[in-house]
Amino acid sequence: LLIHFLVMLFGAVMAYNCSLLAQSVWSYKIPTLGMSEAFKYLPPAGAGVLIALFSFEHILANLRGLEVEPAWH
């Protein structure tokens, strides 16, 4: 449980900090594309949310005494 909690914490911190980075550079434009610099930081923010959700699912399964079954089986 501790490992899953730490991974969930990492994902949450990653999502939070990447969203802060995206907000801080939202007004800057990439000259050749004409779009905001923030788009560079949105995928890692989304990945942090997914990491946190993945670990949350494993924590719930462990507390219930179940095993998470992969979707690809």
Side-chain angles (χ1 to χ4, degrees):
L1 283 176
L2 177 65
I3 295 300
H4 289 300
F5 177 74
L6 290 174
V7 171
M8 185 175 70
L9 183 65
F10 169 78
V13 169
M14 179 176 153
Y16 176 73
N17 284 326
C18 286
S19 66
L20 284 180
L21 275 170
Q23 287 175 356
S24 71
V25 296
W26 192 263
S27 62
Y28 303 145
K29 301 285 183 197
I30 299 172
T32 56
L33 298 176
M35 58 192 288
S36 174
E37 288 266 348
F39 286 104
K40 293 192 302 185
Y41 300 108
L42 294 179
V49 169
L50 292 176
I51 289 169
L53 288 174
F54 176 83
S55 292
F56 183 69
E57 177 187 21
H58 280 271
I59 289 170
L60 286 180
N62 282 339
L63 291 175
R64 292 180 179 170
L66 302 173
E67 204 169 306
V68 176
E69 186 173 331
W72 56 84
H73 282 166

